[in-house]
């Protein structure tokens, strides 16, 4: 099984490449400017592949460049699907969307049939990508994944959990945060990578699936666990610039469908993730063995 992988050199892509190799598949790097249809056509034509996992996109952390969300996440994805459909119709294409498409009013454990209500350019670009991809379902096997928050070694400290871990590793006295009482589904990039590899190889896959743990932790819980791991206490100061008004108390994904699709899949516990991140820091990417999905 040869799996073409966009975003292969990114945070998630490196782990997905390793996960594919662990289950006996061959990752094939597909790096190209998604805004350039001609370049995509040429790149796709050069490669031999059986599946596609599309991770590349314009990240939410860079929220100021709103045009790129649509140029890359929406139109770039459709450019890719068009090229794949012409080269190899019927190919399974796994698309990385986002749980942000559910919007701020969703609460509790969210299932895939929950209504969507994207409220920022990133989330809208992902939702419109999903809708546009529907037009290729007659030529490709489309699998839309909606990952919830996840983290791990190598993620930039602009993101919340790496930022907190970094403060503990530096034994900082103070950290500025927003709402520490909200509870979120914090997954592990290794588990997410295992899920992508499993979806690539599974016999049957759903058209839309959450990639989640089914559990929620507060930022306060994260701080408490890192205090225990590090033996260091950090004072939290609330920075109003980081406070999101109208935050829902609990936002997590229902992972039932993913578990049914991949019976051997299990998410890492957040305590294991934090211990791994604190211990490894920036020393490199370390993987444990992937699971057999059957």
């Amino acid at each position: 099984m040869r799996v073409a992988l966009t975003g292969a050199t990114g945070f998630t892509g490196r782990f997905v490449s390793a996960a594919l190799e662990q289950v006996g598949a061959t990752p094939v790097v597909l790096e190209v400017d998604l805004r350039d249809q001609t370049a995509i056509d040429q790149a796709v034509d050069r490669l031999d592949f059986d599946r596609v996992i599309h991770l590349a996109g314009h990240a939410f952390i860079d929220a100021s460049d709103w045009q790129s969300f649509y140029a890359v996440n929406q139109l770039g994805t459709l450019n890719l699907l068009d090229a794949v459909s012409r080269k190899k119709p019927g190919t399974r294409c796994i698309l990385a969307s986002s749980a942000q498409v559910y919007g701020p009013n969703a609460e509790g454990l969210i299932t895939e049939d929950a209504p969507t209500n994207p409220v920022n350019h990133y989330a809208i670009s992902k939702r419109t990508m999903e809708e546009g991809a529907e037009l290729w379902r007659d030529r490709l096997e489309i699998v839309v994944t909606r990952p919830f928050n996840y983290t791990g070694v190598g993620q930039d400290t602009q993101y919340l959990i790496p930022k907190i871990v970094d403060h503990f590793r530096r034994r900082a006295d103070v950290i500025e945060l927003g709402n520490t009482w909200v509870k979120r589904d914090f997954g592990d990039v290794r588990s997410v990578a295992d899920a992508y590899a499993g979806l690539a190889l599974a016999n049957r896959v759903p058209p839309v699936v959450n990639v989640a743990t089914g559990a929620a932790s507060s930022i306060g819980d994260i701080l408490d666990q890192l205090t225990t791991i590090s033996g260091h206490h950090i004072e939290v100061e609330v920075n109003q610039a980081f406070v999101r008004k109208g935050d829902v108390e609990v936002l997590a994904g229902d992972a039932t469908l993913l578990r049914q699709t991949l019976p051997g899949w299990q998410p890492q516990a957040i305590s294991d993730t934090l211990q791994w991140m604190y211990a490894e820091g920036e020393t490199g990417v370390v993987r444990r063995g992937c699971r057999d999905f059957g």
Side-chain angles (χ1 to χ4, degrees), residues 223-244:
L223 291 164
D224 288 343
Q225 291 191 52
L226 282 167
T227 299
T228 299
I229 290 169
S230 67
H232 176 66
H233 176 77
I234 292 181
E235 181 181 349
V236 177
E237 292 184 356
V238 175
N239 185 332
Q240 291 301 317
F242 300 153
V243 173
R244 297 179 180 177

Side-chain angles (χ1 to χ4, degrees), residues 11 61 152 154-160 162-163 282:
F11 167 59
I61 199 71
Q155 189 177 39
D156 197 286
T157 54
Q158 293 181 87
Y159 292 87
L160 178 61
K163 171 185 174 179
E282 297 300 323

Side-chain angles (χ1 to χ4, degrees), residues 164-263:
I164 296 174
V165 172
D166 178 65
H167 274 66
F168 275 95
R169 293 186 75 252
R170 292 189 290 105
R171 307 190 81 78
D173 295 326
V174 177
I175 185 170
E176 294 185 347
L177 297 172
N179 294 331
T180 60
W181 49 267
V182 296
K183 293 184 177 181
R184 295 291 182 264
D185 190 322
F186 293 113
D188 187 305
V189 67
R190 297 169 295 182
S191 299
V192 171
D194 290 347
Y196 278 119
L199 291 170
L201 272 64
N203 290 330
R204 294 184 178 181
V205 288
V208 179
V209 60
N210 288 337
V211 180
T213 70
S217 301
S218 70
I219 307 304
D221 295 333
I222 302 297
L223 291 164
D224 288 343
Q225 291 191 52
L226 282 167
T227 299
T228 299
I229 290 169
S230 67
H232 176 66
H233 176 77
I234 292 181
E235 181 181 349
V236 177
E237 292 184 356
V238 175
N239 185 332
Q240 291 301 317
F242 300 153
V243 173
R244 297 179 180 177
K245 296 181 178 179
D247 248 351
V248 297
E249 183 175 354
V250 180
L251 184 61
D254 189 316
T256 301
L257 182 57
L258 181 61
R259 291 174 184 272
Q260 290 173 345
T261 305
L262 308 176

Side-chain angles (χ1 to χ4, degrees), residues 78-94:
L78 303 187
N79 287 338
L80 176 65
L81 294 179
D82 188 59
V84 174
S85 70
R86 284 185 277 108
K87 174 182 172 66
K88 196 168 184 179
T91 298
R92 179 179 298 174
C93 296
I94 300 168

